[in-house]
Amino acid sequence: MRVIVRTLSELCVTAGGLIVLFVVYALFWTGVQADGVMDEQIGLLREEWARSRPSSGAPPAAAEQPKPYAKGRPFAIMYIPRLGFTWNKPVLEGTAASTLEKGLGHYAETARLGQRGNFAVAGHRRTHGDPFKDFPRLRRGDAVVLTDGATWFTYRIDEGPYKTVPSDIEVIGPVPRTSGYTRPGRYLTLTTCEPEWGHSHRLIVWAHLDSTQPVEAGKPEALRR
């Protein structure tokens, strides 16, 4: 009997240790890894933008049809001052699990950044860097700023956070359901999981494109301290 009790006790201690290690991994290590990966994605983007920028004195390039976003690759950087002036995340094409481990993911079936329609983006609430941990703090009037290396796009939040179920795909439609919008426009939708450590529901905010300006003009007002 003593051997059985001792064995069970040791198994419980081992199981407890494994649980603690898993929690540390989920809370800390995936965050450390994700921060490094997201910084790497932003670095790659900035290098790409620097290479594609015309040299001083060169004539402007002729207008070209924008290239499709490459699946799983970054194409923009997002800033949300409400979440902190150091908060910035890469936006990649697609919402596959492997993509969302590197940053935020653009729903490929939605509009391109700044274009007519609904540019919709998803992000983890917890783990993998906790990009949208403070999502419930977002409020009407908050700025969401993005750049594609050539242009700054400033969106202003109109509605949310709104709680819904994962199957409610109409919230990322061209004119999102329950957003309050009644006609086509240039919209932004952000989505994340709810509750904080679960995924039974989604939190949504909607925004409209408020202004644009070329990168050469400097940072938009929303990013100036």
Side-chain angles (χ1 to χ4, degrees):
M1 181 62 71
R2 289 181 179 178
V3 172
I4 294 174
V5 171
R6 187 184 303 119
T7 301
L8 289 174
S9 299
E10 290 175 354
L11 288 173
C12 288
V13 170
T14 301
L18 291 174
I19 291 171
V20 169
L21 288 174
F22 175 77
V23 171
V24 170
Y25 171 79
L27 292 180
F28 177 72
W29 185 241
T30 61
V32 171
Q33 289 179 312
D35 287 342
V37 169
M38 284 190 277
D39 287 344
E40 180 182 357
Q41 297 296 309
I42 290 175
L44 290 172
L45 263 181
R46 287 177 171 157
E47 289 178 7
E48 179 183 332
W49 294 341
R51 288 195 302 269
S52 62
R53 191 170 296 125
S55 58
S56 178
E64 298 179 355
Q65 187 72 17
K67 296 179 180 178
Y69 298 143
K71 184 178 179 180
R73 298 284 296 174
F75 63 87
I77 302 173
M78 180 183 291
Y79 303 79
I80 305 181
R82 167 72 72 177
L83 304 184
F85 274 92
T86 61
W87 191 100
N88 61 87
K89 307 296 177 187
V91 182
L92 298 88
E93 178 68 352
T95 55
S98 58
T99 300
L100 293 178
E101 292 175 1
K102 301 175 185 177
L104 308 177
H106 168 238
Y107 289 91
E109 66 272 23
T110 66
R112 294 172 61 91
L113 174 59
Q115 299 304 303
R116 190 171 181 83
N118 185 15
F119 176 70
V121 175
H124 281 298
R125 181 87 175 273
R126 282 293 195 172
T127 71
H128 300 294
D130 303 337
F132 280 155
K133 174 175 67 72
D134 295 323
F135 198 92
R137 293 178 53 201
L138 298 176
R139 294 291 181 269
R140 182 180 298 180
D142 285 348
V144 180
V145 182
L146 295 104
T147 182
D148 61 2
T151 305
W152 289 104
F153 302 87
T154 300
Y155 291 83
R156 291 285 174 182
I157 293 177
D158 294 306
E159 292 292 340
Y162 169 78
K163 184 176 178 179
T164 189
V165 293
S167 59
D168 186 6
I169 61 173
E170 293 182 12
V171 297
I172 62 170
V175 181
R177 187 185 69 82
T178 71
S179 63
Y181 303 134
T182 59
R183 64 183 69 183
R186 301 174 191 270
Y187 304 127
L188 166 70
T189 300
L190 302 180
T191 77
T192 194
C193 291
E194 170 69 11
E196 189 171 350
W197 290 102
H199 50 78
S200 62
H201 289 75
R202 298 288 184 268
L203 287 182
I204 315 291
V205 298
W206 294 286
H208 71 276
L209 184 61
D210 187 59
S211 65
T212 64
Q213 67 184 62
V215 166
E216 289 76 10
K219 290 184 177 180
E221 184 177 355
L223 295 185
R224 299 175 193 164
R225 300 198 189 193

